[in-house]
Amino acid sequence: MQIEKTLQMLCALPAVSGFEEQAAQAVAALLRPLCDTVEVDHNGNVLGYKGCGRKHAKTMLLDAHLDQIGFVVTEVLDGGFLRFAPVGGVDPRMLLATEVTILADEPLYGVVSCMPPHLLKAGEQDKAVPVDQMLIDTGLENAKEKIRIGTPIVFAQQPVKLLGGQICSKCLDDRAGVAAILLALEKLKKHKKRHCNIAVLISAQEEVTGLGAQTGAFAVQPEYAIAVDVTHGKTPDGPSDGVFELGSGPAIGVGPNLHRGLTKRLIKTAKANDIDYSLEVMEGNTGTNAWTMQIVAHGIATALLSIPEKYMHTPVEVVKTSDVEDVAELMYRFLCDFDGEVEA
């Protein structure tokens, strides 16, 4: 698998939270050669299963979320203008003049309207415009015929290759995690002998409700789970704490709601295989599917692996492909030897 091409393909799939069906079917097709069974459930989750053939073997669930932040049409106005509402954590400061794709029956181009600086009144340049006061301009005189209220909208940014092995795109949160799981499974195809079953959950609606991880994990009810997500990458203008250099490998979560034995085993595996890693201290609820899955049913022992990412929840998120590969390598090495038993 060429990780850069995989990321480009995944990031081109539209999947605003609650509207994941098209992307789910595409990811299911990628999973089928790597799993024994694959299905898309009625919540938009992709569920895969790969048995090890051992009786009473325990199951490890690998999760990454498929959905992305975006918008939904709330009103279609005369002149081709749209009012819209955010879906997920959208920062209004970076929306003006942003290019978007309206996912009507036929995808349509639009741009978030912005006032030229020449026409702004004194002091207006320093104020963020509330989302409910913004408009999307489609230029369509017949917009009311083509666009319905409730239509999802995504950023139009397409993946761009940067220098230094970096890639820039919308929704690398968390298509980078999806790519890491796909790569780990591809590596496992060559490793015939395993001691645990592997379940895969490419989950829906992480950005808004956590519904996908909750229902998907409940359907599988594994003994163990690893959530794969992104974490904040280091930039010159950002904070110095709680951020990670791109190229530093997986950030392994450490905290009260993450299983200590599973976390220690991942650290041991990274050290044994010379995989660079960092420790990310999580004080409580991680804000990821790790927490959502941990409290499902009678409880699931859960760990968290994160990929450093710059500019999270923007159209120009950036990751380094080597970090995605290192997360995949760590999961692969871990699963080769994992026998379903860890210390507390």
Side-chain angles (χ1 to χ4, degrees):
M1 176 188 294
Q2 292 185 314
I3 200 67
E4 184 181 311
K5 288 186 178 179
T6 300
L7 285 169
Q8 290 175 337
M9 185 276 292
L10 290 172
C11 289
L13 298 172
V16 177
S17 292
F19 301 89
E20 296 94 346
E21 179 64 25
Q22 178 184 342
Q25 294 296 342
V27 172
L30 295 176
L31 268 178
R32 286 194 175 96
L34 306 174
C35 295
D36 301 331
T37 63
V38 175
E39 64 173 311
V40 178
D41 71 15
H42 59 268
N43 288 319
N45 291 321
V46 185
L47 289 159
Y49 183 80
K50 187 178 181 68
C52 68
R54 294 178 64 220
K55 270 191 175 183
H56 310 299
K58 295 184 178 178
T59 299
M60 170 66 74
L61 175 64
L62 306 178
D63 166 83
H65 71 86
L66 181 61
D67 62 314
Q68 65 195 94
I69 62 169
F71 315 92
V72 65
V73 176
T74 58
E75 187 178 1
V76 183
L77 306 176
D78 293 336
F81 291 93
L82 310 176
R83 293 200 184 277
F84 61 99
V87 179
V90 178
D91 184 348
R93 295 175 303 166
M94 54 84 182
L95 288 186
L96 297 181
T98 298
E99 297 172 287
V100 296
T101 302
I102 300 102
L103 299 174
D105 295 334
E106 177 186 347
L108 301 168
Y109 176 84
V111 61
V112 181
S113 306
C114 62
M115 187 74 73
H118 318 71
L119 302 180
L120 292 173
K121 296 177 183 178
E124 288 184 337
Q125 286 181 318
D126 300 324
K127 295 179 181 179
V129 179
V131 175
D132 62 6
Q133 295 180 23
M134 294 183 189
L135 296 170
I136 291 173
D137 187 357
T138 68
L140 297 172
E141 291 300 326
N142 61 344
K144 291 184 178 181
E145 299 174 15
K146 290 180 172 288
I147 303 169
R148 295 183 293 272
I149 292 173
T151 298
I153 303 167
V154 294
F155 293 122
Q157 175 70 34
Q158 295 301 306
V160 176
K161 184 178 179 180
L162 303 180
L163 297 177
Q166 298 179 64
I167 187 167
C168 172
S169 178
K170 64 181 186 299
C171 69
L172 283 164
D173 173 13
D174 186 29
R175 307 297 166 80
V178 176
I181 290 176
L182 290 171
L183 181 55
L185 291 174
E186 185 180 80
K187 291 171 177 281
L188 280 166
K189 280 192 73 174
K190 303 171 186 177
H191 191 87
K192 301 300 182 183
K193 189 175 181 181
R194 287 177 291 102
H195 305 287
C196 71
N197 304 316
I198 299 170
V200 178
L201 172 59
I202 308 302
S203 51
Q205 297 196 40
E206 188 269 353
E207 298 290 1
V208 291
T209 65
L211 170 71
Q214 187 173 29
T215 58
F218 188 85
V220 177
Q221 296 205 24
E223 286 80 11
Y224 302 101
I226 297 174
V228 186
D229 211 320
V230 296
T231 189
H232 296 288
K234 189 174 183 179
T235 59
D237 57 342
S240 57
D241 295 329
V243 294
F244 301 87
E245 291 277 2
L246 269 64
S248 61
I252 302 175
V254 178
N257 79 294
L258 299 169
H259 192 271
R260 288 186 295 278
L262 204 53
T263 300
K264 288 178 183 177
R265 189 78 170 264
L266 285 166
I267 294 170
K268 182 179 179 181
T269 301
K271 289 179 177 178
N273 292 278
D274 294 322
I275 299 171
D276 291 336
Y277 71 94
S278 304
L279 295 180
E280 182 173 17
V281 178
M282 323 293 289
E283 296 179 357
N285 184 340
T286 62
T288 69
N289 281 342
W291 170 253
T292 306
M293 293 189 297
Q294 189 203 27
I295 60 174
V296 164
H298 56 273
I300 300 169
T302 304
L304 175 63
L305 296 177
S306 297
I307 299 162
E309 178 189 80
K310 295 185 289 190
Y311 323 126
M312 193 183 299
H313 281 208
T314 74
V316 290
E317 296 172 346
V318 175
V319 301
K320 194 163 187 175
T321 54
S322 63
D323 289 329
V324 181
E325 292 169 334
D326 284 347
V327 169
E329 181 71 9
L330 178 54
M331 286 190 288
Y332 162 64
R333 295 290 181 181
F334 177 87
L335 292 166
C336 283
D337 299 327
F338 185 58
D339 57 4
E341 300 296 332
V342 294
E343 298 176 1

